[in-house]
Amino acid sequence: MSVIHHTTLQPSKLELLASWLPSRPWYRGGAGAPDLAKAGGFRLDDPQGEVGIEFMVVTDTSGPAPATYLVPLTYRGAPLDGAEHALVGTMEHGELGRRWAYDGCHDPVLVAQLSALVEGRVQAQDQNISDTPDLEVTRSYRGDTPLSPTAAADDQEGTALSAPRGATLRLHRVLHPTAAAALPAPETAGHLGGVWQLPDGTRARGLFAVLHPAPRA
């Protein structure tokens, strides 16, 4: 199990994201700098214990209406080869030293563990407490083979993780609350959902990702 270190980060995660988010095609803010607040999220464990994996939910209140984003991140003790395009930034960790933060959709460790989570082979972990499952993260999978996505592509709606057999796990980078019992449409093959806090202090639930099966021949 990963250990949560309650220590200093310089710059902070929110400071890194404030510089990085406006460069994303799915960013909904204006020309000014984002005004970010942490709104929720969860973690996953790296089986090798080397890479930190966090799914952050942040809300930006700088625009005409608040926008909430899902930001999967990985934290590494050394640069990830070939992932310069996915680097969010570097931080100085009070206990672990320099850490390289990446857009986790382009990090094979996060993608593998996200697939395992959707399939039900691993459990989401609390964002702030070590060795504690997050029971508010929901998932489903109606398949019989591992997902194993191999490519990630951003567009104005989110990020698509493409699997070899044609299935696509689409991450909702811009989050929207749904009814408590709402599930993806029957033609989908799985989902990932969770909760976050709205700017007024109330809690919302919505879809983090939806699995679309391969098109029929």
Side-chain angles (χ1 to χ4, degrees):
M1 294 290 181
S2 61
V3 176
I4 308 300
H5 297 275
H6 297 282
T7 185
T8 59
L9 286 173
Q10 191 61 240
S12 69
K13 296 173 186 178
L14 292 181
E15 288 171 333
L16 281 186
L17 291 180
S19 298
W20 178 79
L21 278 174
S23 69
R24 302 300 92 194
W26 36 263
Y27 178 64
R28 297 290 192 268
D35 184 8
L36 300 179
K38 181 179 174 181
F42 64 93
R43 287 181 175 261
L44 293 175
D45 287 327
D46 170 18
Q48 304 303 316
E50 296 292 331
V51 179
I53 304 173
E54 182 177 17
F55 286 72
M56 285 190 71
V57 178
V58 297
T59 296
D60 176 18
T61 56
S62 64
T68 300
Y69 302 101
L70 175 66
V71 187
L73 295 169
T74 55
Y75 311 110
R76 289 174 167 267
L80 174 61
D81 290 342
E84 293 82 3
H85 65 289
L87 181 66
V88 176
T90 60
M91 304 176 291
E92 292 297 328
H93 190 284
E95 295 187 26
L96 301 177
R98 177 155 294 185
R99 304 293 283 173
W100 281 257
Y102 288 94
D103 179 353
C105 291
H106 299 271
D107 190 317
V109 173
L110 181 144
V111 172
Q113 293 308 105
L114 172 60
S115 300
L117 174 63
V118 172
E119 295 167 21
R121 295 186 285 112
V122 302
Q123 191 168 25
Q125 299 295 309
D126 190 273
Q127 191 177 26
N128 303 305
I129 306 173
S130 301
D131 195 17
T132 302
D134 186 336
L135 302 180
E136 293 188 305
V137 175
T138 62
R139 42 71 53 194
S140 67
Y141 180 57
R142 293 178 289 280
D144 54 11
T145 58
L147 291 175
S148 304
T150 57
D154 286 339
D155 57 32
Q156 291 186 339
E157 300 303 320
T159 303
L161 300 176
S162 301
R165 292 180 176 84
T168 300
L169 182 63
R170 175 164 281 279
L171 272 70
H172 294 182
R173 295 299 203 123
V174 183
L175 300 180
H176 301 284
T178 61
L183 291 174
E187 62 267 20
T188 62
H191 86 285
L192 181 69
V195 300
W196 64 92
Q197 184 168 293
L198 298 175
D200 64 4
T202 61
R203 284 159 54 85
R205 174 172 289 278
L207 292 171
F208 289 164
V210 174
L211 178 63
H212 298 274
R216 295 182 179 179

